[in-house]
Amino acid sequence: MKRRDFLRLIGSSTMAFAVTSCSDRKANPLFGKTGQELEFVDFEILCRSINPIRNFSELVLFKDTKRVEVYTGRSELGQGLTTVLVSIVSQAFEIEPNQVDVFLADTNLCPDDGPTSGSSTTRDIAWGIWGACLEIKDDIIAEGAKLLGVDLTEVRFSQGTVFVEKGTKSRISMFEMSRDGITFTNPNTTPQRVQMYRDAGLKSVRALDVVTGKLKYAGDIMAGTCRYGGFFTPPEFRTGYKFQPVDLRATLAVPGVITAGNMGQRGPYVVAETFPALQEGLAMIDRKSMVPKKNELVKNLSQVREHAILRKTVEDTGNVEQHLKSCRHTLSETYTTHHYNVAFLEPQTSVAIVSDDEAHVWDSTQHAHRQQQVVARYTRIPVERVHITGTNVGGGFGGKIGHKSGAEAAVIAQATGLPIKRMYSRAEVFQRLSRAKEEVAVDLISGVDDSGKIIARSANIYQDEGNGLTEIYDIPNSRIRLFQVSQKNMGIRHATIRGTSFTQDVFAMESHMSSLAHSISMDPLEFRLKNALWHQDLLHTAAEMIGYGAYQPPEDHGLGMAIINHGGQQLGALFVEVGVDRKTGRITIQRMRAAFDVGIVMCETTATIGVIGALIWGLSITMKEELKFDESRILTNSFAGYDIARFSDIPDMQVKFIKTFGDGLSPRGCGEMPLPLIAPAVANAVYNAVGVRLFSTPFTAERVLAAIRTQAT
Amino acid sequence: MAKTNKSIIVNGEHHEVSAESSEPLLWVLRDRLGLTGTKYGCGEGACGTCTVLIDGKAERSCLVAFEDLEARHAIVTIEGLVQDGELSPVQHAFVEHNAFACGYCTSGMIMQATDLLTINKTPSRSEIIEAMNDNLCRCATYPSIITAIESVVKENGSKSEDQS
Ligand code: FES
Ligand code: FES
């Protein structure tokens, strides 16, 4: 559909799309002089020249309320989408931020803009909105000149108003034009420059609601007026699980339990007056008749390789075998990783009201339109009669895209006629999402010549999801293959957590790079600079930030580094300093210094908080988190047994955004990319500190101590 | 099991509440009084999202049973920190320093920090970390939260200098 057709369809007087701004240039004193080297460009000219209309889904429309409304199907996860959109629109039209209303993730109001994931929302949606605003502004100026009876060259636009430059003081505001019902049809007017960028994006527009507890999450909808509903969640993996109807008398006897029933293959459900009563009711369900099939778990690496089938060849250049044979230096290594949980603080939550042929679900979701399909499937209500209202999301990280709380709330509401709140307990978050990140094994063989140039490399990656890696080194003979280990054999299903498997791949690849450098007695920085395709500037910047070369770490301290390319869009380099306690194996990360190229940074405060958060996430999963399983059960079911990063774990951190490639003009996203850098950078720093190579995550004190002891013997 | 009726004081107001005696204060606040600013994160005292003040002291509301509350207890939730339309200094600092991302942990963080700054007006960085350490933030906004709290400490420090 053409944009203008879409506009006519929704009956708005005007609309448009596309891009960005960089409203916040202030450095956060905590993180050092961030953004110092970013070039600030004229975004207006940029987006007019590049691609003013990238996406037809988002919409800006003026109403006679002197307000601008913005609609997108994406969700606010705390990444600052609302703030960025308000910032952009208020800057584009030079109006007050409080004149902008943002509507997100509502299937009745917003178009389907795809899932809020992959660090793509700023890149795709905000970019689109900005261009739209500019295009509308052109229309406004042209229309304003016409209404004022003057030539286009005689008017200027300022603060939402078209002025006649000289002589008369005539003016007309864009809102007045809108009220007159004028449709703007000509986007090809002369560009007018927006002179001023404001700081609307500096502070979150949601801030007041957040700090006063007013911001509504799904669990806050209809507090006290709906009932809590839930399905029995077996502690076993659900693969092959068959539910038999169970006796629910004990459950029904729990005070506060209103009703309970068996729902075929969905299993038993319970409805209660309160959340604690629901948990108690679910706990009373007798599981004796519900023993799941045992999973055939793959227990060791040779089994992984044996079960694996080739899924995809990501890269295949030159002749790897032949050159590996002829290289003077080759190194063969295998790296493995562990399981962790998404562990957002807000469990998946949904509230559903269902009548005969209609459902309304408030959902903590990263993709409202997908939830609409799922609810329709579960309830057999036509999809157009399912209304999903996406609420604020208390952390998503990929775990709130395909979740079932909305559909489960809806089917229980349908079965009971009651408004139902389905809020996962913390244990359910672990049980239902701990089939999450897979164990990945990566076999690597590389060959290097005497000068330190990598001649050939083979990488076999065993993982069930993801697209592997984008090559970041200049290797003439390179092969990267992805092997699938069937879910049945792994016994653990997979879901996305903050990036799709490349976290594990980067650990292997970047650890291997430093290992390779050491194997030929070359400095790992020099080795990377020699072989990297694009990361030289980032490496130099981050190396300087940490004082690489000039700074001599004390005994048992070391420096390590890693680089990353996330989808060819986002580049990063990280240096860390660690201290290792040889007696206990405990690693302490002292400093982190990172440089990123993420294209234009639209709101530096939000972007900095995002990348710092991702680095800490990386620290958390690398150093602390590990899910435990036995043959059939997930044993880690609470925060008490699963420690995530906390205040005392935070090292001294500084980040910088710089421009290293491309036009550097478009936003490319930044939320996922920093995370995978931690594991290899820390492993490389540990090697630098105590000469021990860590081949498996997480880097618990026991594992490090074992490696130190093995080395000593 | 019979419900218990009692009067409790929340944010300076008396409320007659009827609830199961074992029901945690968290759910009394959220579902019986509609004070949803206090959040559920784990239900077992391990995350801090449910933190409220009871007689000025930070407590995990998921661990306080209704039956253990007494009429004399003054309970303050995030909604009760605003006085005469003014944000508390900690709330104000969280706004100024963007000390949140998704915001789910923020109520608990603010209540915990309020407790700390009531006991110790000028805590050091390590005292801040120690006091806040059991409050989790999965978005890992810890550095901004420390900055926000330190800004209140600085303010308190200059106030006490003025007074001396
Ligand atoms: S919900 Fe109370 S500490 Fe987590
Ligand atoms: S801001 Fe998301 S959990 Fe703290």
Side-chain angles (χ1 to χ4, degrees):
Chain A
M1 187 190 295
K2 289 266 169 52
R3 186 181 66 84
R4 299 281 162 186
D5 295 340
F6 179 51
L7 185 121
R8 249 175 253 123
L9 188 77
I10 52 109
S12 72
S13 55
T14 183
M15 60 160 273
F17 310 83
V19 182
T20 317
S21 92
C22 212
S23 56
D24 167 20
R25 297 181 185 206
K26 289 194 185 161
N28 184 331
L30 187 67
F31 309 129
K33 293 178 185 165
T34 53
Q36 201 176 35
E37 294 171 22
L38 249 193
E39 253 178 59
F40 290 86
V41 297
D42 185 326
F43 297 97
E44 181 166 3
I45 287 175
L46 151 74
C47 57
R48 283 178 198 283
S49 63
I50 295 182
N51 187 1
I53 303 171
R54 279 164 62 123
N55 188 325
F56 291 91
S57 296
E58 323 88 12
L59 148 74
V60 179
L61 62 93
F62 306 148
K63 296 176 95 176
D64 55 9
T65 50
K66 298 204 170 168
R67 305 187 70 75
V68 178
E69 297 182 351
V70 185
Y71 295 83
T72 165
R74 297 283 177 102
S75 307
E76 174 64 78
L77 313 176
Q79 81 281 43
L81 176 61
T82 323
T83 305
V84 166
L85 293 180
V86 168
S87 170
I88 284 169
V89 175
S90 62
Q91 287 172 53
F93 296 117
E94 301 177 44
I95 57 175
E96 292 304 317
N98 62 16
Q99 286 179 274
V100 183
D101 297 315
V102 175
F103 297 87
L104 303 175
D106 187 308
T107 54
N108 275 19
L109 298 175
C110 310
D112 183 0
D113 291 322
T116 314
S117 62
S119 310
S120 65
T121 301
T122 300
R123 187 182 71 211
D124 296 346
I125 303 302
W127 180 263
I129 294 279
W130 177 263
C133 292
L134 296 184
E135 193 176 327
I136 289 177
K137 202 165 74 181
D138 284 348
D139 290 348
I140 290 168
I141 293 163
E143 206 57 48
K146 206 159 85 190
L147 287 169
L148 294 168
V150 295
D151 190 76
L152 193 57
T153 54
E154 294 175 56
V155 295
R156 87 186 153 84
F157 181 93
S158 177
Q159 299 184 9
T161 303
V162 181
F163 292 85
V164 178
E165 287 262 49
K166 298 196 184 98
T168 73
K169 296 235 166 70
S170 333
R171 59 174 65 193
I172 183 164
S173 100
M174 64 186 201
F175 297 110
E176 286 173 63
M177 282 187 255
S178 174
R179 193 161 55 227
D180 294 340
I182 294 163
T183 302
F184 301 103
T185 52
N186 179 10
N188 302 315
T189 48
T190 314
Q192 302 281 313
R193 289 192 53 155
V194 175
Q195 298 291 354
M196 177 176 64
Y197 291 98
R198 295 195 235 173
D199 273 349
L202 181 62
K203 293 196 185 87
S204 166
V205 295
R206 306 183 311 148
L208 279 182
D209 286 345
V210 172
V211 303
T212 53
K214 286 191 189 130
L215 197 75
K216 292 279 179 261
Y217 299 82
D220 305 334
I221 306 294
M222 287 196 281
T225 57
C226 61
R227 300 298 169 223
Y228 286 90
F231 280 91
F232 173 75
T233 300
E236 296 84 5
F237 314 135
R238 281 168 82 102
T239 320
Y241 203 94
K242 286 263 183 281
F243 283 108
Q244 305 290 341
V246 292
D247 183 344
L248 292 164
R249 276 175 296 186
T251 295
L252 288 163
V254 171
V257 167
I258 296 166
T259 184
N262 290 289
M263 204 183 281
Q265 271 316 296
R266 302 219 162 94
Y269 69 91
V270 179
V271 175
E273 198 186 326
T274 63
F275 184 79
L278 171 70
Q279 299 312 316
E280 214 181 316
L282 288 167
M284 296 305 286
I285 291 175
D286 181 2
R287 302 192 300 110
K288 276 205 285 296
S289 61
M290 303 194 292
V291 181
K293 275 190 204 164
K294 272 210 164 170
N295 294 281
E296 297 167 43
L297 282 179
V298 172
K299 293 203 184 66
N300 56 45
L301 277 180
S302 57
Q303 276 183 311
V304 167
R305 293 189 188 97
E306 190 186 311
H307 285 289
I309 42 170
L310 180 63
R311 182 159 66 89
K312 191 172 170 185
T313 300
V314 182
E315 166 112 14
D316 198 359
T317 49
N319 187 329
V320 175
E321 259 74 38
Q322 187 192 327
H323 284 89
L324 279 175
K325 266 191 216 130
S326 60
C327 271
R328 262 170 56 96
H329 313 279
T330 58
L331 181 68
S332 171
E333 290 180 323
T334 294
Y335 291 86
T336 59
T337 62
H338 67 295
H339 296 265
Y340 47 89
N341 184 262
V342 66
F344 28 52
L345 282 192
E346 179 208 32
Q348 287 95 332
T349 307
S350 312
V351 173
I353 297 178
V354 179
S355 64
D356 289 348
D357 61 349
E358 257 180 3
H360 189 178
V361 178
W362 289 261
D363 201 7
S364 166
T365 178
Q366 291 176 250
H367 194 183
H369 291 79
R370 175 163 165 179
Q371 290 303 93
Q372 187 185 31
Q373 303 285 341
V374 180
V375 170
R377 204 172 66 237
Y378 267 58
T379 56
R380 297 177 198 273
I381 291 173
V383 72
E384 60 279 6
R385 292 185 169 277
V386 174
H387 177 192
I388 306 288
T389 301
T391 55
N392 286 289
V393 178
F397 315 118
K400 288 175 182 163
I401 296 178
H403 63 288
K404 299 291 189 301
S405 58
E408 291 184 354
V411 286
I412 298 174
Q414 196 173 36
T416 60
L418 296 166
I420 294 294
K421 184 173 293 179
R422 173 76 173 108
M423 183 186 252
Y424 283 13
S425 67
R426 178 54 54 190
E428 281 180 304
V429 175
F430 277 101
Q431 283 158 356
R432 290 185 170 228
L433 280 145
S434 284
R435 316 166 192 110
K437 209 61 190 182
E438 68 269 39
E439 271 166 0
V440 171
V442 184
D443 292 335
L444 291 154
I445 311 174
S446 300
V448 193
D449 72 13
D450 285 337
S451 76
K453 170 97 185 96
I454 308 173
I455 302 300
R457 186 178 66 194
S458 155
N460 287 348
I461 301 172
Y462 301 89
Q463 65 184 37
D464 278 0
E465 61 166 16
N467 294 317
L469 291 165
T470 310
E471 185 55 84
I472 53 177
Y473 295 104
D474 181 15
I475 306 175
N477 305 284
S478 167
R479 189 178 58 219
I480 303 175
R481 290 184 298 185
L482 300 181
F483 290 85
Q484 178 141 13
V485 184
S486 84
Q487 294 182 358
K488 180 167 165 279
N489 286 322
M490 286 294 270
I492 292 161
R493 287 210 310 240
H494 305 150
T496 306
I497 297 184
R498 215 161 184 186
T500 314
S501 299
F502 63 83
T503 304
Q504 289 72 12
D505 307 340
V506 172
F507 162 58
M509 293 287 192
E510 281 300 290
S511 297
H512 184 65
M513 278 300 288
S514 286
S515 240
L516 210 47
H518 293 304
S519 74
I520 55 165
S521 304
M522 195 165 174
D523 178 89
L525 173 60
E526 193 190 338
F527 185 59
R528 282 181 174 79
L529 288 170
K530 188 176 180 73
N531 288 287
L533 283 164
W534 312 286
H535 282 76
Q536 281 77 2
D537 287 351
L538 287 161
L539 278 163
H540 282 304
T541 305
E544 197 184 314
M545 287 165 79
I546 207 153
Y548 196 83
Y551 169 73
Q552 269 310 318
E555 203 185 336
D556 294 340
H557 279 229
L559 298 178
M561 73 201 75
I563 59 176
I564 190 169
N565 174 352
H566 182 2
Q569 296 272 322
Q570 307 157 22
L571 304 187
L574 171 72
F575 281 67
V576 299
E577 178 179 358
V578 305
V580 182
D581 182 334
R582 283 180 184 269
K583 285 198 201 77
T584 61
R586 195 175 131 77
I587 302 170
T588 313
I589 302 179
Q590 311 277 344
R591 294 189 296 153
M592 287 189 195
R593 298 289 183 269
F596 302 115
D597 182 353
V598 296
I600 280 300
V601 176
M602 297 177 62
C603 176
E604 198 186 330
T605 307
T606 315
T608 305
I609 286 175
V611 296
I612 291 272
L615 288 169
I616 297 172
W617 242 83
L619 177 156
S620 191
I621 58 171
T622 302
M623 312 296 292
K624 306 190 79 175
E625 299 175 36
E626 184 170 25
L627 289 167
K628 305 275 192 226
F629 302 87
D630 68 10
E631 292 268 308
S632 61
R633 283 171 184 239
I634 296 139
L635 304 175
T636 326
N637 282 329
S638 73
F639 280 134
Y642 188 84
D643 199 17
I644 65 171
R646 50 184 72 224
F647 280 95
S648 55
D649 296 311
I650 310 309
D652 166 17
M653 302 169 79
Q654 286 180 14
V655 300
K656 258 184 195 175
F657 296 105
I658 65 170
K659 186 175 100 178
T660 66
F661 80 102
D663 54 21
L665 299 177
S666 52
R668 300 192 223 113
C670 62
E672 288 178 354
M673 172 266 287
L675 188 154
L677 290 164
I678 299 289
V682 169
N684 294 336
V686 168
Y687 185 86
N688 186 241
V690 293
V692 160
R693 174 60 52 196
L694 299 170
F695 291 103
S696 300
T697 57
F699 305 151
T700 54
E702 302 79 56
R703 181 166 278 146
V704 177
L705 190 61
I708 291 172
R709 288 195 176 142
T710 310
Q711 183 206 36
T713 54
Chain B
M1 201 187 335
K3 282 186 181 167
T4 310
N5 295 313
K6 69 168 72 160
S7 173
I8 56 173
I9 306 170
V10 183
N11 300 332
E13 281 178 31
H14 287 268
H15 295 270
E16 286 302 321
V17 180
S18 170
E20 301 290 340
S21 50
S22 63
E23 189 170 317
L25 173 62
L26 167 64
W27 302 103
V28 172
L29 293 170
R30 289 181 56 80
D31 286 330
R32 303 197 188 271
L33 301 180
L35 296 168
T36 55
T38 306
K39 306 296 185 202
Y40 166 81
C42 68
E44 56 183 14
C47 74
T49 59
C50 67
T51 306
V52 298
L53 301 179
I54 301 182
D55 294 337
K57 198 170 157 336
E59 300 282 359
R60 305 296 191 234
S61 66
C62 66
L63 296 183
V64 178
F66 183 55
E67 64 190 344
D68 295 334
L69 290 172
E70 288 172 26
R72 61 182 171 78
H73 284 139
I75 300 160
V76 178
T77 69
I78 188 76
E79 290 91 345
L81 286 189
V82 176
Q83 294 289 322
D84 302 326
E86 291 285 317
L87 296 181
S88 76
V90 179
Q91 286 174 311
H92 185 71
F94 270 61
V95 173
E96 283 302 304
H97 295 276
N98 271 287
F100 56 86
C102 80
Y104 198 76
C105 68
T106 311
S107 302
M109 291 287 181
I110 289 176
M111 300 317 280
Q112 193 70 44
T114 303
D115 175 18
L116 165 68
L117 293 166
T118 309
I119 302 165
N120 179 356
K121 294 219 169 326
T122 53
S124 65
R125 193 183 177 87
S126 58
E127 284 170 331
I128 294 172
I129 289 170
E130 196 187 328
M132 300 298 296
N133 212 29
D134 289 337
N135 283 61
L136 302 178
C137 173
R138 188 51 155 170
C139 303
T141 60
Y142 300 116
S144 323
I145 295 173
I146 295 174
T147 307
I149 298 173
E150 283 182 333
S151 75
V152 183
V153 171
K154 205 166 151 208
E155 190 91 336
N156 289 346
S158 52
K159 266 191 214 143
S160 60
E161 265 171 37
D162 289 351
Q163 281 160 9
S164 60

